[in-house]
Amino acid sequence: MNELLKLLEDNSRLTDEQLAKMLGKEEGEIRDMIERYERDRVVLGYKAIIDWDKTDKESVSALIEVKITPQRDRGFDRVAEKIYNYPEVESLYLMSGGFDLAVMIEGKTMKEVAYFVAMKLAPIEDVISTSTHFVLRKYKDKGVVYGAETVDERGQVL
């Protein structure tokens, strides 16, 4: 049921009772569906979205483009597995276009990110090249707008 998954994705703090009312289902049915989604690894976890800029945590985020040589019979999977097992890696995507993988990492400093790229990522067999882009500011992430409330400046269509 895609509606249930979308509601969970938008606000995982909704109770089974609230979800049941919203979807016109019984609470037990909702609970069973969620348990099945978790067991089948459709729902992989529940996380809060934090604006770390409003805390005292100092960190740097970076997007790293990676070009690799795909492996016979494994494609990009073997290299991707090596990369996503590093604790610094927040996200990893197979991409179309000018590079193969997009790696999102977080470090304490730019120097720490540079060390990760130079000492951990670039030396991986089959990595051809990397290009690092530091995130300077988040405006919107995972559908959530960061920072001050913004006014919609688009013109109203009548």
Side-chain angles (χ1 to χ4, degrees):
M1 173 180 265
N2 289 335
E3 297 102 329
L4 174 58
L5 293 173
K6 183 64 179 149
L7 288 170
L8 286 172
E9 183 179 51
D10 290 343
N11 183 357
S12 64
R13 295 188 67 181
L14 291 170
T15 66
D16 293 346
E17 179 184 9
Q18 291 170 318
L19 291 165
K21 285 180 184 176
M22 294 168 88
L23 297 171
K25 304 279 183 191
E26 293 294 322
E27 195 173 332
E29 183 181 357
I30 294 296
R31 190 174 311 109
D32 291 344
M33 292 171 74
I34 292 172
E35 287 173 4
R36 185 172 59 251
Y37 286 143
E38 291 170 346
R39 185 177 55 250
D40 294 345
R41 296 192 42 80
V42 173
V43 173
L44 299 173
Y46 302 90
K47 292 193 174 217
I49 299 171
I50 310 296
D51 186 349
W52 289 108
D53 288 342
K54 292 184 177 179
T55 71
D56 59 358
K57 180 182 179 190
E58 294 291 327
S59 67
V60 176
S61 297
L63 180 140
I64 306 162
E65 300 173 349
V66 183
K67 290 184 184 181
I68 63 175
T69 303
Q71 295 295 298
R72 182 184 309 218
D73 301 327
R74 297 272 330 259
F76 299 98
D77 295 346
R78 187 183 67 77
V79 175
E81 184 177 354
K82 284 183 179 182
I83 294 170
Y84 70 61
N85 279 310
Y86 285 113
E88 298 92 336
V89 175
E90 297 287 324
S91 302
L92 177 63
Y93 307 99
L94 179 62
M95 305 296 293
S96 63
F99 57 97
D100 302 306
L101 299 175
V103 183
M104 289 296 300
I105 74 162
E106 187 174 302
K108 292 179 183 169
T109 63
M110 287 185 174
K111 186 175 182 177
E112 188 175 275
V113 171
Y115 177 85
F116 172 81
V117 173
M119 303 306 288
K120 295 181 179 180
L121 188 59
I124 294 174
E125 187 178 349
D126 302 315
V127 169
I128 298 168
S129 66
T130 65
S131 180
T132 303
H133 308 272
F134 288 97
V135 175
L136 302 177
R137 180 176 179 191
K138 284 185 183 179
Y139 290 102
K140 186 175 184 178
D141 189 26
K142 298 176 182 74
V144 177
V145 175
Y146 283 62
E149 292 295 318
T150 58
V151 176
D152 188 352
E153 295 179 2
R154 297 176 292 175
Q156 183 177 4
V157 178
L158 300 175

